[in-house]
Amino acid sequence: MAAVMDWQVHPAAPTGLSEEQAAYREAARDFARAELAPHAAHWDAHSVFPREAIAQAGELGFCGLYVDEAAGGSGLTRLDAAIVFEELAAADPSTAAFISIHNMATWMFAAHAAPALRARWGAELASGRKLASYCLTEPGAGSDAASLRTRARRDGGDYVIDGAKAFISGAGSTDLLVVMARTGGDGARGISAFAVPADAAGIVYGRKEEKMGWNSQPTRGISFEGVRVPADHLLGAEGDGFKIAMKGLDGGRLNIASCSLGAAQGALDAARRYMGERRQFGKKLAEFQALQFKLADMATQLVAARQMVHTAARKVDAGAGDATVWCAMAKRFATDAGFSICNEALQIHGGYGYIREYPIERLMRDCRVHQILEGTNEIMRVIIARHLLNSEEELR
């Protein structure tokens, strides 16, 4: 089982953390070591959604990391959150990724809900006593999210929602759905956001998808058939939904990038241990220069990815105008690097890396989807290229 290493002696350790950030890192590392690492392989093998462990994470403030304290959250920065998610993912990328998605949905809700609705749900979500799912993707609207067809029409004091969502993390096991639905015409400006209780009449959950990874969190489609929600469950104003979704995704991309950093760190740690223990041709693997070079390249990739993620997080925290493109670059780079590092760690382990007795194959399976969700890495390239071609600003 992958243990979280001591950052104080690790060559890939982040620098410049405040005392508070070091404390968050320590708390997340201790939690991951005690509550995630011993169970991650079992949760993966048996598709267990560990609500109890997630609730324990909530008790530490990890379920509402960057939600305002007034809404029941921890009120931390996006950089603080990135540090926490990396530590959690070093032990269990799947469960850490769900916690990160819940944080994104909870922030979107808390930042845009009417005061009475926020008072009803905010503290419950931020504490992890209640969990949220983010509902944007549809069977016919993945990368082209602005073409979504789920519709919400006003009917007196309610909105009535009809449509379908696909690949929703936590669906069927969460308590609140943050749903993007069309209230106006075609395109992004016709989309609104709603907070929908997950047990509302007319909601039908599909079968649990059988997935390559992320097995500790359920993934299902959701159908909305005449689902009525009070008008005050609208988040923001009509037509704000796509903007809300994209702002949420800036943070979501940082979160998933951080989870890739964690998976890569766990894999690198495992490879270092294995190279120090395994002997071939009368020598430890650590004595073979070819493997030393491979390990050095893995560590360099990880440090570079971490610095990019942390820079993007600082951009979001500062409200920088180019924060979105930095989040896209960080997500693209870190998720590609994370998968590559896990793959190289598996190669170092040889046949042992391919069997479930070792954590490497799980880390690799879990982080592969990070290159797809929160916007595919191809869409990240589109965002970056558009910025370069349509803006005179330099990326610095």
Side-chain angles (χ1 to χ4, degrees):
M1 196 67 62
V4 183
M5 298 293 288
D6 185 348
W7 289 85
Q8 300 302 323
V9 299
H10 198 286
T15 58
L17 299 186
S18 68
E19 289 185 11
E20 291 81 3
Q21 288 167 338
Y24 306 147
R25 182 191 61 194
E26 185 80 14
R29 181 174 59 204
D30 289 346
F31 176 79
R33 180 181 294 157
E35 304 298 339
L36 301 184
H39 310 292
H42 174 79
W43 294 339
D44 171 68
H46 299 281
S47 297
V48 175
F49 184 50
R51 279 205 67 146
E52 183 177 342
I54 294 169
Q56 290 174 331
E59 291 175 4
L60 295 173
F62 296 162
C63 287
L65 283 165
Y66 47 90
V67 172
D68 287 346
E69 291 180 273
S74 299
L76 302 184
T77 68
R78 301 304 173 102
L79 177 56
D80 299 336
I83 293 164
V84 169
F85 291 134
E86 179 177 348
E87 287 287 351
L88 300 181
D92 185 356
S94 173
T95 303
F98 177 79
I99 294 172
S100 84
I101 293 168
H102 168 78
N103 268 268
M104 177 179 70
T106 298
W107 174 82
M108 292 170 65
F109 169 84
H112 300 284
L117 186 65
R118 187 185 303 115
R120 193 179 320 155
W121 283 92
E124 292 290 291
L125 292 170
S127 68
R129 292 189 294 270
K130 301 286 187 183
L131 300 178
S133 289
Y134 174 64
C135 304
L136 175 64
T137 301
E138 297 186 0
S143 294
D144 184 14
S147 69
L148 66 82
R149 302 184 64 176
T150 296
R151 183 161 290 278
R153 60 179 176 84
R154 186 69 183 262
D155 183 25
D158 295 335
Y159 283 93
V160 181
I161 302 174
D162 291 280
K165 299 294 181 180
F167 304 126
I168 305 304
S169 293
S173 298
T174 52
D175 306 287
L176 188 74
L177 310 177
V178 176
V179 179
M180 305 301 146
R182 190 167 299 284
T183 53
D186 293 341
R189 294 182 180 179
I191 296 171
S192 300
F194 297 89
V196 181
D199 59 356
I203 293 178
V204 178
Y205 294 99
R207 68 178 180 87
K208 186 165 72 170
E209 302 288 357
E210 296 182 10
K211 307 189 296 291
M212 173 180 172
W214 273 27
N215 291 317
S216 73
Q217 51 170 296
T219 302
R220 293 183 172 90
I222 309 176
S223 296
F224 298 86
E225 301 173 2
V227 176
R228 302 185 76 92
V229 294
D232 66 0
H233 282 48
L234 177 70
L235 301 179
E238 277 199 14
D240 284 350
F242 196 76
K243 289 188 294 184
I244 292 171
M246 293 304 103
K247 282 184 101 173
L249 280 176
D250 278 349
R253 287 163 184 163
L254 287 175
N255 296 349
I256 288 302
S258 300
C259 289
S260 283
L261 297 179
Q265 184 70 70
L268 180 62
D269 292 342
R272 291 172 67 211
R273 289 194 298 271
Y274 187 78
M275 285 175 61
E277 297 166 357
R278 176 74 166 165
R279 301 184 69 88
Q280 289 287 277
F281 304 104
K283 297 192 297 184
K284 290 182 179 180
L285 294 188
E287 297 178 57
F288 289 89
Q289 191 175 62
L291 296 184
Q292 293 173 4
F293 285 0
K294 187 186 292 286
L295 198 70
D297 286 344
M298 292 160 64
T300 302
Q301 273 191 296
L302 179 54
V303 169
R306 182 180 289 123
Q307 295 308 312
M308 182 168 280
V309 171
H310 287 192
T311 298
R314 291 186 179 97
K315 290 275 188 178
V316 173
D317 288 331
D322 59 354
T324 292
V325 71
W326 272 91
C327 289
M329 289 193 299
K331 192 268 183 184
R332 201 290 298 166
F333 189 82
T335 58
D336 283 351
F339 181 75
S340 175
I341 291 165
C342 289
N343 192 38
E344 293 285 18
L346 192 152
Q347 190 72 15
I348 288 171
H349 280 71
Y352 290 106
Y354 202 67
I355 62 176
R356 293 196 173 185
E357 182 179 349
Y358 289 76
I360 298 298
E361 60 84 31
R362 174 173 55 81
L363 294 173
M364 191 173 81
R365 284 187 293 105
D366 280 346
C367 77
R368 176 61 181 88
V369 74
H370 299 178
Q371 296 168 291
I372 298 172
L373 53 81
E374 311 293 30
T376 65
N377 284 3
E378 289 72 23
I379 292 297
M380 298 305 99
R381 291 179 172 92
V382 170
I383 293 170
I384 298 161
R386 282 178 178 169
H387 179 89
L388 292 172
L389 295 171
N390 297 323
S391 172
E392 295 183 0
E393 294 181 11
E394 295 182 355
L395 292 172
R396 292 184 182 272

